[in-house]
Amino acid sequence: MATQASRMMHLNLFLFGCGHHRAAWRHPNSSIERMGDIGYYEKLAQTAERGKLDAVFFADGHSVGDINENSLWYLEPITTLSAMSRATEKIGLITTISSTFYTPFHAARLLASLDHISKGRVGWNLVTSMFDAEARNHGYESMPAHADRYRRAEEFADVMIKLWDSWRDDAIKCDRQGQYADPGKVSPIDHNGEFFLVDGPLNVPRSTQGNPVLFQAGASDQGIALAAKCAEAIYAVAYDLPAAQDYYRKVNAAVKVAGRRPAPIMPGLVTYVAATEEEALAKQRELDELLPVASSLKQLGTFIEQDCTHWDLDAPVPALPSLEEFNGPKGRYGTILRIIETENPTLRQLLGRLAAGGGHCTMVGTPEHIADKMAHWFHHEGADGFNLMPPSLPNGIEDFVDQVIPILQQRGLFRTEYKGATLRDHLGLKRPDF
Amino acid sequence: MATQASRMMHLNLFLFGCGHHRAAWRHPNSSIERMGDIGYYEKLAQTAERGKLDAVFFADGHSVGDINENSLWYLEPITTLSAMSRATEKIGLITTISSTFYTPFHAARLLASLDHISKGRVGWNLVTSMFDAEARNHGYESMPAHADRYRRAEEFADVMIKLWDSWRDDAIKCDRQGQYADPGKVSPIDHNGEFFLVDGPLNVPRSTQGNPVLFQAGASDQGIALAAKCAEAIYAVAYDLPAAQDYYRKVNAAVKVAGRRPAPIMPGLVTYVAATEEEALAKQRELDELLPVASSLKQLGTFIEQDCTHWDLDAPVPALPSLEEFNGPKGRYGTILRIIETENPTLRQLLGRLAAGGGHCTMVGTPEHIADKMAHWFHHEGADGFNLMPPSLPNGIEDFVDQVIPILQQRGLFRTEYKGATLRDHLGLKRPDF
């Protein structure tokens, strides 16, 4: 990490449909008709680049969401980022890659090619995927066990890097009277592991960054172990500062044990920004009120395992059993208890909180207020930056770039200009020369 | 097919490194330093679009070529075409997809996404791949047998189309007060075949063209059977008109038996164009003279299974055993005999012919001469168009677009403007509505 004096935040824009609020697409001004229009995504990337953000980021999945619950579709990230790379010049471009479904040769080649095309701006978020519905689109009867997926992910990351390193940086000579490339500098990898047989070399030479930047977001013990072993940057889920600090310290301790330098940790962050707190709250309320109440109550009912369809929407949420007393899945339930405990929301507000970013942190208020809170996390072992999850797009990122970024810049917490040209440059990561 | 009066040629630009002549990269003006520069490919696509060509096309492979023989690397086609789609407006964009290495869900999704991004300009050339070196990059010990690969390819094409048809054209509603999509119009495919288990639906809705256009180039009996069954357009290899006619008639007979309408057949075509025949021949000679003689003679020696390193480069090629007498692989050997028989070339010229496009047709001369020959093939059951393989790039396609295209247009053999916006429109193929 840089010294405290010069330490700067890292900010990514997490792109998702019409925004991260589940009802954002219902807003009259939403871009819901443009989910397949590349111009929509190019403009978002340009806005993020205007704000000097480190990168834009796409999550990914391999099955349709629940059509009955109005899950939106989205373009495939790699093809989308390739087009977006030509509408921007500096901003990083991060896709999600499932090690459970891709062969490492395909993935290494697609990302290396994209790193050439974008002149060194590619990152990849290594995930193991979760759902049987995804597995059954790629030839599995059901999703492999968690432990098997993580062993595969670790081998996958290893093979990816071996493939990227199968051409030395100076392998290509372009000697018109002699050789195009030096055969001594292009080598097979001869990998034969538990999951993968890959001879190599890759059929793409080493790219601008050497290797695209490896992101990870594991929260389980195995996820944290994988992140400690190989992640160069980390996404996190933390509803509030204590949760963020807990994760931050746990990961950095694991990284230290692994003998590696700390990787920037970026929790997800939902923001509602406006000139006054009242206006910011009104923006939040406007989206929350677009939620179809019946299906939201039904969903909450499954999370808390009781019928809440008759509860008063504008009264505080009734007392719920403690985490110890609750017998269902505890992750989301714990977040719900935390929200009730810290915010005492009405039922309608609780539905909104769950609808925008799920368990991620939400900050609502003036640009100064949000900059203060972000700085507080940044200076108190909560975050090295944030993965911005605007509740609605494009306005959510425009608000942030126009109103919050200038304050962070004035305070010396965020860059006023890109210093380098690659994603590694933006993240302060050294190029792995080879 | 359209009536004879209005029948027009289809022309694709087959992109490959610095051009299809193996020594093109050695020319002082070659773009060999730009193999990873997306701007190089964008400009080539713009030139092809200026000539109103139907499409640009990339072949593909899954292993490095022979570094000792100066095989060039190239960007991965899908990522490259996505970027190129944003530098062009009308021209089609065709990638090669190996059914042996991709899962159909990945491939269907990448191509559907690209079809959305390009607004309906995508085609795919279905291949089964050939080399053990490729198989060993994707987990196989060696390449599956030819017959197995073709059974897999047929099932692959079937699953691709089922996935693309898993959303009906009118599935998306964007009803802000109601549903985003109609769940009754998004259906699983429940495919469980010999090679693939795929539940579906795809997580990308039906794209502009419905389905990207399926190209095929099979020359074996199984390849022709597959093309007859599912190809919407066909690439071919034919050294001269009799070979082209033989293939053309064979494929169209098979298509008729399959009860389908004929698909446009486009043989590969290498052209050297100039204002005079002498200049055109000089262009060809200039590239041929860049070939490193020793390695070309060594390669020829392996094709004909005898040592030819002591032969006179500027004398006619000595008599070779007949095809019947020859015991090695007969495909390339037959082409070599055909070249000697029809052109009586010097050894140096033979090496040049083999170095530019291999067994594909070569036409050398004035724009009028080349337009005449193309028209002759077009009117005599040799071709419905051509897959242009310029020996060097970018000049080879600039020459063709500036000099040959206007003549074809004047003769009413080629479009003067795009009539539609999709690749299906350019090829005269109906959109498969669903």
Side-chain angles (χ1 to χ4, degrees):
Chain A
M1 292 281 104
T3 59
Q4 192 71 8
S6 68
R7 183 172 164 248
M8 295 257 193
M9 281 186 193
H10 297 290
L11 297 175
N12 286 184
L13 168 60
F14 181 174
L15 289 169
F16 185 70
C18 294
H20 288 267
H21 194 292
R22 220 154 53 86
W25 70 276
R26 296 187 185 276
H27 194 280
N29 296 338
S30 86
S31 299
I32 185 62
E33 288 82 5
R34 299 186 68 197
M35 293 300 95
D37 177 356
I38 188 66
Y40 171 70
Y41 303 93
E42 288 171 342
K43 183 73 201 310
L44 288 168
Q46 287 165 346
T47 301
E49 186 165 81
R50 179 159 60 79
K52 315 298 175 195
L53 267 56
D54 295 67
V56 294
F57 160 66
F58 282 110
D60 196 28
H62 291 264
S63 61
V64 292
D66 187 341
I67 305 279
N68 285 299
E69 289 300 330
N70 297 302
S71 177
L72 310 186
W73 80 279
Y74 48 92
L75 290 167
E76 186 285 326
I78 298 173
T79 43
T80 306
L81 290 171
S82 187
M84 289 162 77
S85 77
R86 302 301 288 154
T88 54
E89 289 182 2
K90 296 289 179 75
I91 196 162
L93 308 159
I94 303 166
T95 184
T96 293
I97 294 283
S98 168
S99 53
T100 304
F101 302 134
Y102 260 107
T103 72
F105 195 88
H106 279 310
R109 186 176 177 221
L110 287 162
L111 295 183
S113 186
L114 188 56
D115 206 45
H116 281 284
I117 290 170
S118 66
K119 301 183 170 59
R121 296 191 275 142
V122 177
W124 60 299
N125 174 38
L126 171 58
V127 303
T128 69
S129 303
M130 279 195 292
F131 303 113
D132 284 343
E134 299 177 275
R136 293 186 57 86
N137 283 332
H138 284 288
Y140 296 93
E141 292 280 348
S142 61
M143 188 56 89
H146 187 267
D148 294 340
R149 298 204 306 276
Y150 270 86
R151 279 206 322 287
R152 180 173 160 124
E154 192 175 327
E155 188 180 331
F156 187 91
D158 179 42
V159 177
M160 294 282 275
I161 289 165
K162 283 186 191 170
L163 284 169
W164 287 327
D165 288 348
S166 63
W167 292 63
R168 299 202 73 109
D169 281 324
D170 60 350
I172 292 182
K173 298 164 68 174
C174 295
D175 173 4
R176 286 169 169 76
Q177 275 75 50
Q179 285 183 307
Y180 172 59
D182 182 341
K185 293 183 172 173
V186 185
S187 309
I189 68 167
D190 293 330
H191 179 92
N192 195 345
E194 179 184 358
F195 296 92
F196 304 113
L197 167 74
V198 188
D199 276 6
L202 191 62
N203 54 353
V204 177
R206 220 141 184 280
S207 61
T208 316
Q209 293 186 113
N211 306 331
V213 180
L214 174 47
F215 282 68
Q216 230 275 310
S220 67
D221 288 348
Q222 275 160 307
I224 288 176
L226 180 63
K229 197 183 163 194
C230 64
E232 298 177 289
I234 294 169
Y235 290 134
V237 182
Y239 185 72
D240 53 18
L241 182 55
Q245 289 169 325
D246 183 52
Y247 183 80
Y248 192 94
R249 288 166 188 158
K250 206 188 280 180
V251 169
N252 278 336
V255 166
K256 200 168 174 186
V257 168
R260 300 177 68 236
R261 57 172 255 174
I265 297 174
M266 286 174 259
L269 174 60
V270 178
T271 54
Y272 294 90
V273 192
T276 66
E277 190 185 355
E278 291 66 39
E279 285 175 69
L281 286 165
K283 282 187 182 183
Q284 183 178 32
R285 201 164 48 239
E286 188 184 13
L287 285 182
D288 288 353
E289 284 171 359
L290 291 172
L291 280 173
V293 172
S295 83
S296 298
L297 284 176
K298 200 177 121 201
Q299 192 195 46
L300 177 61
T302 59
F303 291 157
I304 63 173
E305 298 198 344
Q306 59 175 295
D307 179 15
C308 48
T309 52
H310 58 283
W311 292 358
D312 183 349
L313 278 164
D314 296 303
V317 179
L320 294 178
S322 72
L323 194 59
E324 292 68 36
E325 293 168 286
F326 183 71
N327 290 319
K330 302 205 178 217
R332 178 92 59 169
Y333 191 77
T335 301
I336 291 170
L337 292 185
R338 190 80 155 249
I339 296 172
I340 295 172
E341 182 192 332
T342 53
E343 303 186 36
N344 190 29
T346 65
L347 178 56
R348 193 189 299 277
Q349 287 169 333
L350 176 62
L351 299 180
R353 235 45 107 247
L354 295 174
H360 289 276
C361 176
T362 299
M363 297 183 186
V364 190
T366 63
E368 290 75 15
H369 171 78
I370 287 175
D372 287 344
K373 284 193 93 164
M374 290 173 70
H376 189 69
W377 283 46
F378 183 65
H379 291 308
H380 294 87
E381 293 188 292
D384 298 308
F386 296 91
N387 194 20
L388 302 176
M389 303 169 64
S392 66
L393 289 169
N395 56 309
I397 187 62
E398 287 164 359
D399 291 347
F400 193 92
V401 163
D402 293 333
Q403 299 175 44
V404 183
I405 291 283
I407 296 174
L408 296 173
Q409 289 171 329
Q410 282 156 23
R411 297 186 186 176
L413 290 172
F414 195 62
R415 68 174 70 83
T416 53
E417 198 40 81
Y418 292 107
K419 297 280 188 293
T422 70
L423 178 55
R424 285 190 181 278
D425 290 337
H426 306 337
L427 292 169
L429 298 169
K430 211 172 125 17
R431 182 183 190 281
D433 296 329
F434 185 71
Chain B
M1 291 283 104
T3 60
Q4 192 72 9
S6 68
R7 184 171 164 250
M8 294 255 194
M9 279 185 194
H10 297 290
L11 298 175
N12 286 184
L13 169 59
F14 181 173
L15 289 169
F16 186 70
C18 294
H20 289 267
H21 194 293
R22 220 155 52 85
W25 71 274
R26 296 187 186 275
H27 194 279
N29 296 337
S30 86
S31 299
I32 186 61
E33 288 81 6
R34 299 186 67 196
M35 292 300 95
D37 177 356
I38 187 67
Y40 172 70
Y41 303 93
E42 289 172 341
K43 183 72 199 309
L44 288 168
Q46 288 165 345
T47 302
E49 186 165 82
R50 180 160 60 78
K52 316 298 175 196
L53 267 55
D54 295 67
V56 293
F57 160 65
F58 281 110
D60 197 27
H62 291 263
S63 61
V64 291
D66 187 341
I67 305 280
N68 285 299
E69 290 299 329
N70 298 301
S71 177
L72 310 186
W73 80 279
Y74 47 93
L75 289 167
E76 186 284 328
I78 298 173
T79 43
T80 306
L81 290 171
S82 187
M84 288 162 77
S85 78
R86 302 302 288 153
T88 54
E89 290 181 2
K90 296 288 178 74
I91 196 161
L93 308 159
I94 304 166
T95 184
T96 293
I97 294 283
S98 168
S99 53
T100 304
F101 302 134
Y102 260 107
T103 72
F105 195 88
H106 279 311
R109 186 175 177 222
L110 287 161
L111 296 183
S113 186
L114 188 56
D115 207 44
H116 281 284
I117 289 169
S118 67
K119 302 185 170 56
R121 296 191 276 141
V122 177
W124 60 299
N125 175 38
L126 171 58
V127 302
T128 69
S129 303
M130 280 195 290
F131 302 112
D132 285 343
E134 299 177 275
R136 294 186 56 87
N137 283 332
H138 285 288
Y140 296 93
E141 291 280 348
S142 61
M143 188 57 89
H146 187 267
D148 294 339
R149 297 205 307 274
Y150 270 86
R151 280 208 320 288
R152 180 173 161 126
E154 193 175 325
E155 187 180 330
F156 187 92
D158 178 43
V159 177
M160 294 282 276
I161 289 166
K162 283 186 190 168
L163 284 170
W164 287 327
D165 287 348
S166 63
W167 293 62
R168 297 202 74 107
D169 280 323
D170 59 351
I172 292 183
K173 299 164 68 174
C174 295
D175 173 5
R176 286 169 169 75
Q177 275 75 49
Q179 284 182 306
Y180 171 58
D182 182 342
K185 294 183 171 172
V186 184
S187 308
I189 67 167
D190 292 331
H191 179 92
N192 195 346
E194 179 184 357
F195 295 92
F196 303 113
L197 166 75
V198 189
D199 277 5
L202 191 63
N203 53 353
V204 177
R206 220 142 183 282
S207 61
T208 317
Q209 293 187 113
N211 305 331
V213 180
L214 173 48
F215 283 68
Q216 229 277 309
S220 67
D221 288 347
Q222 275 160 308
I224 288 176
L226 180 63
K229 198 184 162 195
C230 66
E232 299 178 289
I234 294 169
Y235 290 134
V237 183
Y239 185 72
D240 53 19
L241 182 56
Q245 289 169 326
D246 182 53
Y247 183 79
Y248 191 94
R249 288 166 188 158
K250 205 188 279 180
V251 169
N252 278 336
V255 167
K256 202 170 172 185
V257 169
R260 300 177 68 237
R261 58 171 255 175
I265 298 175
M266 285 174 259
L269 175 60
V270 178
T271 55
Y272 294 90
V273 192
T276 65
E277 191 186 352
E278 292 65 40
E279 284 175 69
L281 286 166
K283 281 188 181 181
Q284 184 178 31
R285 202 165 46 241
E286 188 185 12
L287 285 182
D288 288 353
E289 284 172 359
L290 291 172
L291 280 173
V293 172
S295 83
S296 299
L297 284 176
K298 199 178 123 201
Q299 191 195 47
L300 177 61
T302 59
F303 292 157
I304 64 173
E305 299 198 343
Q306 58 176 294
D307 179 14
C308 47
T309 51
H310 58 285
W311 292 358
D312 182 349
L313 277 164
D314 296 303
V317 179
L320 294 178
S322 72
L323 194 59
E324 291 69 36
E325 294 167 286
F326 183 71
N327 291 318
K330 302 206 178 218
R332 178 93 58 168
Y333 191 77
T335 301
I336 291 170
L337 292 185
R338 190 81 153 248
I339 296 172
I340 295 172
E341 183 192 330
T342 54
E343 302 185 37
N344 189 30
T346 64
L347 179 57
R348 192 190 300 277
Q349 286 168 335
L350 176 62
L351 299 180
R353 238 42 109 248
L354 295 174
H360 290 274
C361 177
T362 299
M363 297 182 186
V364 189
T366 64
E368 291 75 15
H369 171 78
I370 287 175
D372 287 344
K373 286 194 91 164
M374 291 174 70
H376 189 70
W377 283 46
F378 182 65
H379 290 310
H380 293 86
E381 295 190 290
D384 298 308
F386 297 90
N387 194 20
L388 303 175
M389 302 170 63
S392 65
L393 289 168
N395 56 309
I397 187 62
E398 287 164 359
D399 291 346
F400 193 93
V401 163
D402 293 334
Q403 300 174 45
V404 183
I405 290 283
I407 297 174
L408 296 173
Q409 289 171 329
Q410 282 155 24
R411 298 185 186 176
L413 291 172
F414 195 61
R415 69 174 68 82
T416 54
E417 199 38 83
Y418 292 105
K419 296 280 189 292
T422 70
L423 178 56
R424 287 190 178 276
D425 291 337
H426 306 337
L427 292 170
L429 298 169
K430 210 170 125 17
R431 182 184 189 280
D433 295 330
F434 186 71

